Amino acid sequence: MKDNELFLTASSSPHIRTKEDVGVIMRDVVIALVPAFGCALYFFGINALILVTSSVLSAVIAEGLIQKLTKKPITINDWSAVVTGLLLAFNLPPSAPWWLAVIGSAFAILIVKHTFGGIGQNFMNPALAARAFLLASWPTKMTAGFVLPRTLDGVSSSTPLAMLYAADATATATAEASATLTAVDLPSYMDLFLGNVAGVIGETSAIALLIGFAYLLYRGVISWRIPVIYIGVVGLMTFVFGANGLFTGNGIYHILSGGLMLGAIFMATDYSSSPVTPRGQIIFALGCGILTSVIRLWGGYPEGVSYSILLMNVAAPLIDKYTIPKIYGEVKANA
């Protein structure tokens, strides 16, 4: 059918034409993740490459295998499995064994994604669900593999967020000790901004993630609502509810450290597991920000991004139900 004949064809809504498809969108996400991948290679070396390669290949193979076994069209060329593999690898410590990435990718694709019907049908982010599964199954390997960047001997170190958590805990006993710990031991803002700190391989460099964010905005792949509101709420709450009293917290440090930027930009914005309406996206982002802050400030775990997004993923259908505009002309009783 020629293009001009499409205008003479009667069809049901939606009547939106675009050259973009899943492959184009997923390719853009991969491109946006390239700066963070480059920083991971620079700071963590061959370990980062092994984890990313193992995770991506496992995700693609698992996708092709399940589609072949279920006699569905093979769609490994749409890049969605690559994105899942990349995001899972970015959530692993640099010293994690390669088989952890393989198991996590298989779980993400086979259980979280295809058990519910494949792309667009999963109700939570596959990479985050796989991370939660790995953390519950192998907690030591998921939390004890952090190393200082570019150390040939793999010197282990606490993440900046764990250091800040320890500093805040100390502040409950003595504010002076907390101030000393913060000044002496915490990495600088510049190290956090560039990525020269310990952490999972894809979360450390704020500048690399912001470059990816700018690219996704330019390409129209995501909107600003979820990332900006999510990050803003965490920064505000962690500043207001400081360890030494109201308005004494280090909100900027909470923004730059941990997985907040990675989660807010690349995982909370997942099409399948986040609300579709602008108002719903605002509610979703507020929920993610509040939950993350509550876990970081008062929970027993220094990070809270993964669980916050997963919890809000579950709530996303309900948010959509109450924020989708009513159909014009619909009977009030049915509206």
Side-chain angles (χ1 to χ4, degrees), residues 177-225:
S178 175
T180 303
L181 177 63
T182 302
V184 175
D185 295 337
L186 290 181
S188 67
Y189 289 127
M190 184 58 67
D191 283 336
L192 289 172
F193 193 66
L194 296 178
N196 190 29
V197 292
V200 299
I201 65 174
E203 75 178 14
T204 59
S205 178
I207 181 62
L209 296 170
L210 288 172
I211 291 172
F213 179 41
Y215 177 78
L216 292 179
L217 287 178
Y218 170 75
R219 292 286 296 164
V221 174
I222 63 174
S223 77
W224 61 270
R225 294 182 192 90

Tab-separated table of all heavy atoms in Angstrom, residues 177-225:
chain	number	residue	atom	x	y	z
A	177	ALA	N	31.708	13.749	65.827
A	177	ALA	CA	32.302	12.591	65.159
A	177	ALA	C	31.793	12.479	63.742
A	177	ALA	O	32.541	12.162	62.815
A	177	ALA	CB	31.973	11.320	65.937
A	178	SER	N	30.538	12.766	63.547
A	178	SER	CA	29.964	12.703	62.207
A	178	SER	C	30.604	13.731	61.292
A	178	SER	O	30.934	13.449	60.145
A	178	SER	CB	28.448	12.931	62.267
A	178	SER	OG	27.911	12.980	60.983
A	179	ALA	N	30.784	14.951	61.799
A	179	ALA	CA	31.385	15.995	60.981
A	179	ALA	C	32.805	15.627	60.597
A	179	ALA	O	33.242	15.847	59.464
A	179	ALA	CB	31.367	17.318	61.750
A	180	THR	N	33.555	15.034	61.525
A	180	THR	CA	34.927	14.621	61.236
A	180	THR	C	34.960	13.527	60.183
A	180	THR	O	35.752	13.577	59.242
A	180	THR	CB	35.610	14.120	62.524
A	180	THR	OG1	35.570	15.144	63.500
A	180	THR	CG2	37.045	13.739	62.255
A	181	LEU	N	34.057	12.537	60.307
A	181	LEU	CA	34.014	11.444	59.346
A	181	LEU	C	33.666	11.951	57.963
A	181	LEU	O	34.279	11.584	56.973
A	181	LEU	CB	32.973	10.405	59.800
A	181	LEU	CG	32.734	9.219	58.861
A	181	LEU	CD1	34.013	8.404	58.732
A	181	LEU	CD2	31.596	8.346	59.350
A	182	THR	N	32.690	12.868	57.902
A	182	THR	CA	32.266	13.394	56.614
A	182	THR	C	33.399	14.158	55.935
A	182	THR	O	33.642	14.014	54.748
A	182	THR	CB	31.047	14.322	56.792
A	182	THR	OG1	30.006	13.589	57.411
A	182	THR	CG2	30.581	14.858	55.462
A	183	ALA	N	34.105	14.970	56.698
A	183	ALA	CA	35.150	15.798	56.120
A	183	ALA	C	36.339	14.979	55.664
A	183	ALA	O	36.978	15.277	54.659
A	183	ALA	CB	35.591	16.851	57.143
A	184	VAL	N	36.683	13.925	56.409
A	184	VAL	CA	37.911	13.195	56.145
A	184	VAL	C	37.706	12.036	55.170
A	184	VAL	O	38.487	11.834	54.243
A	184	VAL	CB	38.510	12.674	57.466
A	184	VAL	CG1	39.732	11.810	57.196
A	184	VAL	CG2	38.862	13.831	58.380
A	185	ASP	N	36.646	11.259	55.366
A	185	ASP	CA	36.528	9.985	54.664
A	185	ASP	C	35.637	9.998	53.421
A	185	ASP	O	35.826	9.197	52.521
A	185	ASP	CB	35.997	8.915	55.625
A	185	ASP	CG	36.978	8.619	56.753
A	185	ASP	OD1	38.174	8.887	56.537
A	185	ASP	OD2	36.547	8.149	57.811
A	186	LEU	N	34.642	10.851	53.363
A	186	LEU	CA	33.725	10.827	52.238
A	186	LEU	C	34.389	11.342	50.966
A	186	LEU	O	35.123	12.323	50.998
A	186	LEU	CB	32.489	11.670	52.543
A	186	LEU	CG	31.518	11.128	53.594
A	186	LEU	CD1	30.346	12.076	53.745
A	186	LEU	CD2	31.039	9.734	53.228
A	187	PRO	N	34.159	10.672	49.828
A	187	PRO	CA	34.692	11.178	48.557
A	187	PRO	C	34.137	12.564	48.255
A	187	PRO	O	33.053	12.938	48.716
A	187	PRO	CB	34.193	10.143	47.539
A	187	PRO	CG	33.908	8.916	48.336
A	187	PRO	CD	33.448	9.392	49.674
A	188	SER	N	34.857	13.304	47.462
A	188	SER	CA	34.449	14.672	47.135
A	188	SER	C	33.302	14.664	46.130
A	188	SER	O	33.025	13.662	45.465
A	188	SER	CB	35.637	15.442	46.542
A	188	SER	OG	35.988	14.892	45.276
A	189	TYR	N	32.648	15.817	46.010
A	189	TYR	CA	31.586	15.962	45.012
A	189	TYR	C	32.124	15.725	43.605
A	189	TYR	O	31.442	15.149	42.752
A	189	TYR	CB	30.966	17.357	45.100
A	189	TYR	CG	30.128	17.591	46.333
A	189	TYR	CD1	30.369	18.688	47.151
A	189	TYR	CD2	29.087	16.729	46.675
A	189	TYR	CE1	29.604	18.917	48.287
A	189	TYR	CE2	28.311	16.948	47.798
A	189	TYR	CZ	28.578	18.042	48.606
A	189	TYR	OH	27.814	18.267	49.731
A	190	MET	N	33.346	16.166	43.359
A	190	MET	CA	33.932	15.988	42.032
A	190	MET	C	34.150	14.519	41.712
A	190	MET	O	33.896	14.071	40.586
A	190	MET	CB	35.252	16.754	41.927
A	190	MET	CG	35.885	16.696	40.534
A	190	MET	SD	34.791	17.339	39.229
A	190	MET	CE	34.718	19.080	39.680
A	191	ASP	N	34.607	13.748	42.698
A	191	ASP	CA	34.773	12.309	42.481
A	191	ASP	C	33.429	11.653	42.181
A	191	ASP	O	33.334	10.774	41.314
A	191	ASP	CB	35.407	11.658	43.716
A	191	ASP	CG	36.900	11.912	43.808
A	191	ASP	OD1	37.523	12.175	42.765
A	191	ASP	OD2	37.450	11.849	44.923
A	192	LEU	N	32.394	12.057	42.900
A	192	LEU	CA	31.060	11.519	42.630
A	192	LEU	C	30.576	11.918	41.249
A	192	LEU	O	29.974	11.122	40.520
A	192	LEU	CB	30.071	12.039	43.679
A	192	LEU	CG	30.202	11.501	45.102
A	192	LEU	CD1	29.287	12.268	46.033
A	192	LEU	CD2	29.873	10.014	45.149
A	193	PHE	N	30.824	13.146	40.862
A	193	PHE	CA	30.362	13.653	39.572
A	193	PHE	C	31.040	12.923	38.421
A	193	PHE	O	30.398	12.572	37.420
A	193	PHE	CB	30.631	15.153	39.485
A	193	PHE	CG	29.933	15.832	38.336
A	193	PHE	CD1	28.550	15.913	38.289
A	193	PHE	CD2	30.665	16.389	37.303
A	193	PHE	CE1	27.910	16.535	37.228
A	193	PHE	CE2	30.039	17.015	36.243
A	193	PHE	CZ	28.656	17.096	36.212
A	194	LEU	N	32.334	12.656	38.571
A	194	LEU	CA	33.089	12.001	37.503
A	194	LEU	C	32.962	10.481	37.546
A	194	LEU	O	33.045	9.823	36.505
A	194	LEU	CB	34.558	12.392	37.587
A	194	LEU	CG	34.873	13.874	37.354
A	194	LEU	CD1	36.370	14.132	37.521
A	194	LEU	CD2	34.405	14.335	35.979
A	195	GLY	N	32.796	9.897	38.737
A	195	GLY	CA	32.661	8.455	38.861
A	195	GLY	C	33.839	7.767	39.503
A	195	GLY	O	33.919	6.541	39.485
A	196	ASN	N	34.747	8.528	40.092
A	196	ASN	CA	35.953	7.953	40.695
A	196	ASN	C	35.680	7.482	42.122
A	196	ASN	O	36.343	7.881	43.077
A	196	ASN	CB	37.079	8.988	40.677
A	196	ASN	CG	38.416	8.386	41.054
A	196	ASN	OD1	38.669	7.206	40.834
A	196	ASN	ND2	39.277	9.203	41.640
A	197	VAL	N	34.664	6.617	42.267
A	197	VAL	CA	34.256	6.108	43.583
A	197	VAL	C	33.850	4.644	43.435
A	197	VAL	O	33.612	4.150	42.335
A	197	VAL	CB	33.073	6.913	44.167
A	197	VAL	CG1	33.492	8.323	44.509
A	197	VAL	CG2	31.889	6.915	43.213
A	198	ALA	N	33.768	3.956	44.573
A	198	ALA	CA	33.305	2.575	44.560
A	198	ALA	C	31.793	2.531	44.397
A	198	ALA	O	31.075	3.427	44.828
A	198	ALA	CB	33.714	1.880	45.864
A	199	GLY	N	31.318	1.478	43.761
A	199	GLY	CA	29.884	1.310	43.552
A	199	GLY	C	29.629	0.268	42.489
A	199	GLY	O	30.567	-0.351	41.970
A	200	VAL	N	28.366	0.038	42.150
A	200	VAL	CA	28.079	-0.864	41.036
A	200	VAL	C	28.561	-0.192	39.761
A	200	VAL	O	28.674	1.036	39.681
A	200	VAL	CB	26.576	-1.218	40.963
A	200	VAL	CG1	26.119	-1.917	42.218
A	200	VAL	CG2	25.721	0.018	40.692
A	201	ILE	N	28.825	-0.980	38.735
A	201	ILE	CA	29.618	-0.470	37.625
A	201	ILE	C	28.941	0.627	36.803
A	201	ILE	O	29.615	1.411	36.141
A	201	ILE	CB	30.065	-1.619	36.683
A	201	ILE	CG1	28.859	-2.264	36.005
A	201	ILE	CG2	30.875	-2.651	37.443
A	201	ILE	CD1	29.259	-3.289	34.957
A	202	GLY	N	27.617	0.718	36.856
A	202	GLY	CA	26.958	1.703	36.011
A	202	GLY	C	26.434	2.928	36.713
A	202	GLY	O	25.885	3.825	36.074
A	203	GLU	N	26.616	3.007	38.039
A	203	GLU	CA	25.980	4.088	38.791
A	203	GLU	C	26.934	5.194	39.211
A	203	GLU	O	26.482	6.252	39.655
A	203	GLU	CB	25.321	3.524	40.052
A	203	GLU	CG	26.312	3.166	41.142
A	203	GLU	CD	25.662	2.643	42.418
A	203	GLU	OE1	24.449	2.311	42.372
A	203	GLU	OE2	26.362	2.536	43.437
A	204	THR	N	28.232	4.976	39.106
A	204	THR	CA	29.178	5.859	39.788
A	204	THR	C	29.338	7.228	39.125
A	204	THR	O	29.524	8.223	39.812
A	204	THR	CB	30.567	5.206	39.897
A	204	THR	OG1	31.050	4.906	38.584
A	204	THR	CG2	30.491	3.912	40.704
A	205	SER	N	29.268	7.302	37.800
A	205	SER	CA	29.558	8.560	37.102
A	205	SER	C	28.287	9.357	36.826
A	205	SER	O	27.521	9.039	35.914
A	205	SER	CB	30.296	8.290	35.791
A	205	SER	OG	30.527	9.500	35.095
A	206	ALA	N	28.071	10.414	37.586
A	206	ALA	CA	26.888	11.247	37.399
A	206	ALA	C	26.919	11.959	36.049
A	206	ALA	O	25.888	12.065	35.369
A	206	ALA	CB	26.786	12.268	38.536
A	207	ILE	N	28.073	12.431	35.630
A	207	ILE	CA	28.160	13.161	34.366
A	207	ILE	C	27.819	12.256	33.185
A	207	ILE	O	27.134	12.678	32.251
A	207	ILE	CB	29.572	13.787	34.189
A	207	ILE	CG1	29.674	14.569	32.885
A	207	ILE	CG2	30.661	12.735	34.242
A	207	ILE	CD1	28.729	15.734	32.778
A	208	ALA	N	28.257	11.000	33.223
A	208	ALA	CA	27.952	10.071	32.140
A	208	ALA	C	26.447	9.795	32.059
A	208	ALA	O	25.865	9.733	30.966
A	208	ALA	CB	28.715	8.760	32.338
A	209	LEU	N	25.802	9.643	33.202
A	209	LEU	CA	24.365	9.390	33.231
A	209	LEU	C	23.583	10.620	32.791
A	209	LEU	O	22.554	10.499	32.110
A	209	LEU	CB	23.936	8.963	34.635
A	209	LEU	CG	24.543	7.634	35.109
A	209	LEU	CD1	24.246	7.422	36.594
A	209	LEU	CD2	23.998	6.467	34.294
A	210	LEU	N	24.056	11.802	33.138
A	210	LEU	CA	23.384	13.023	32.715
A	210	LEU	C	23.508	13.243	31.212
A	210	LEU	O	22.584	13.761	30.574
A	210	LEU	CB	23.965	14.229	33.474
A	210	LEU	CG	23.582	14.315	34.957
A	210	LEU	CD1	24.363	15.437	35.639
A	210	LEU	CD2	22.084	14.524	35.111
A	211	ILE	N	24.635	12.848	30.635
A	211	ILE	CA	24.782	12.921	29.176
A	211	ILE	C	23.753	12.013	28.510
A	211	ILE	O	23.102	12.397	27.533
A	211	ILE	CB	26.212	12.534	28.757
A	211	ILE	CG1	27.205	13.598	29.203
A	211	ILE	CG2	26.299	12.340	27.242
A	211	ILE	CD1	28.655	13.218	29.013
A	212	GLY	N	23.591	10.809	29.051
A	212	GLY	CA	22.583	9.899	28.526
A	212	GLY	C	21.181	10.457	28.686
A	212	GLY	O	20.333	10.308	27.797
A	213	PHE	N	20.917	11.108	29.812
A	213	PHE	CA	19.615	11.727	30.055
A	213	PHE	C	19.333	12.809	29.016
A	213	PHE	O	18.226	12.883	28.455
A	213	PHE	CB	19.608	12.312	31.465
A	213	PHE	CG	18.325	12.999	31.851
A	213	PHE	CD1	17.092	12.466	31.502
A	213	PHE	CD2	18.358	14.185	32.575
A	213	PHE	CE1	15.907	13.102	31.873
A	213	PHE	CE2	17.183	14.817	32.956
A	213	PHE	CZ	15.957	14.274	32.585
A	214	ALA	N	20.319	13.646	28.759
A	214	ALA	CA	20.149	14.707	27.769
A	214	ALA	C	19.861	14.124	26.385
A	214	ALA	O	19.021	14.659	25.635
A	214	ALA	CB	21.409	15.581	27.730
A	215	TYR	N	20.528	13.043	26.038
A	215	TYR	CA	20.300	12.416	24.728
A	215	TYR	C	18.876	11.867	24.629
A	215	TYR	O	18.199	12.055	23.610
A	215	TYR	CB	21.317	11.295	24.506
A	215	TYR	CG	21.093	10.549	23.206
A	215	TYR	CD1	21.507	11.095	21.996
A	215	TYR	CD2	20.454	9.306	23.193
A	215	TYR	CE1	21.282	10.425	20.797
A	215	TYR	CE2	20.231	8.633	22.004
A	215	TYR	CZ	20.649	9.202	20.808
A	215	TYR	OH	20.424	8.542	19.626
A	216	LEU	N	18.406	11.205	25.686
A	216	LEU	CA	17.048	10.647	25.656
A	216	LEU	C	15.999	11.749	25.567
A	216	LEU	O	14.978	11.589	24.888
A	216	LEU	CB	16.809	9.790	26.896
A	216	LEU	CG	17.614	8.492	26.991
A	216	LEU	CD1	17.284	7.766	28.286
A	216	LEU	CD2	17.330	7.579	25.794
A	217	LEU	N	16.233	12.863	26.244
A	217	LEU	CA	15.313	13.992	26.143
A	217	LEU	C	15.318	14.563	24.733
A	217	LEU	O	14.264	14.884	24.162
A	217	LEU	CB	15.696	15.082	27.150
A	217	LEU	CG	15.401	14.805	28.622
A	217	LEU	CD1	15.884	15.979	29.480
A	217	LEU	CD2	13.915	14.565	28.860
A	218	TYR	N	16.494	14.711	24.160
A	218	TYR	CA	16.621	15.246	22.799
A	218	TYR	C	15.900	14.363	21.793
A	218	TYR	O	15.222	14.859	20.873
A	218	TYR	CB	18.101	15.370	22.438
A	218	TYR	CG	18.351	15.680	20.977
A	218	TYR	CD1	18.120	16.952	20.470
A	218	TYR	CD2	18.812	14.689	20.103
A	218	TYR	CE1	18.340	17.246	19.130
A	218	TYR	CE2	19.040	14.968	18.765
A	218	TYR	CZ	18.797	16.246	18.279
A	218	TYR	OH	19.007	16.527	16.954
A	219	ARG	N	16.004	13.053	21.969
A	219	ARG	CA	15.369	12.111	21.051
A	219	ARG	C	13.877	11.913	21.354
A	219	ARG	O	13.172	11.282	20.574
A	219	ARG	CB	16.082	10.759	21.130
A	219	ARG	CG	17.493	10.788	20.590
A	219	ARG	CD	17.509	10.860	19.083
A	219	ARG	NE	16.924	9.641	18.512
A	219	ARG	CZ	16.523	9.529	17.253
A	219	ARG	NH1	16.611	10.564	16.429
A	219	ARG	NH2	16.023	8.386	16.815
A	220	GLY	N	13.409	12.461	22.456
A	220	GLY	CA	12.006	12.319	22.809
A	220	GLY	C	11.628	10.935	23.298
A	220	GLY	O	10.451	10.567	23.299
A	221	VAL	N	12.625	10.172	23.750
A	221	VAL	CA	12.363	8.813	24.229
A	221	VAL	C	11.674	8.840	25.586
A	221	VAL	O	10.785	8.036	25.868
A	221	VAL	CB	13.671	8.002	24.299
A	221	VAL	CG1	13.438	6.635	24.927
A	221	VAL	CG2	14.265	7.848	22.907
A	222	ILE	N	12.067	9.755	26.456
A	222	ILE	CA	11.452	9.901	27.772
A	222	ILE	C	11.101	11.372	27.984
A	222	ILE	O	11.579	12.249	27.248
A	222	ILE	CB	12.372	9.419	28.911
A	222	ILE	CG1	13.643	10.279	28.975
A	222	ILE	CG2	12.725	7.943	28.743
A	222	ILE	CD1	14.540	9.967	30.157
A	223	SER	N	10.280	11.629	28.982
A	223	SER	CA	10.008	13.005	29.385
A	223	SER	C	10.818	13.325	30.637
A	223	SER	O	11.385	12.434	31.268
A	223	SER	CB	8.513	13.204	29.660
A	223	SER	OG	8.164	12.661	30.924
A	224	TRP	N	10.839	14.569	31.010
A	224	TRP	CA	11.614	15.014	32.167
A	224	TRP	C	10.929	14.676	33.479
A	224	TRP	O	11.577	14.690	34.530
A	224	TRP	CB	11.826	16.526	32.105
A	224	TRP	CG	10.524	17.289	32.127
A	224	TRP	CD1	9.785	17.665	31.053
A	224	TRP	CD2	9.801	17.715	33.288
A	224	TRP	NE1	8.644	18.322	31.464
A	224	TRP	CE2	8.622	18.365	32.823
A	224	TRP	CE3	10.017	17.617	34.656
A	224	TRP	CZ2	7.673	18.906	33.694
A	224	TRP	CZ3	9.071	18.155	35.529
A	224	TRP	CH2	7.918	18.795	35.054
A	225	ARG	N	9.638	14.382	33.455
A	225	ARG	CA	8.849	14.340	34.688
A	225	ARG	C	9.396	13.363	35.718
A	225	ARG	O	9.690	13.740	36.859
A	225	ARG	CB	7.388	14.002	34.369
A	225	ARG	CG	6.657	15.069	33.579
A	225	ARG	CD	5.214	14.692	33.348
A	225	ARG	NE	4.586	15.563	32.368
A	225	ARG	CZ	4.586	15.316	31.051
A	225	ARG	NH1	5.141	14.213	30.596
A	225	ARG	NH2	4.015	16.159	30.217
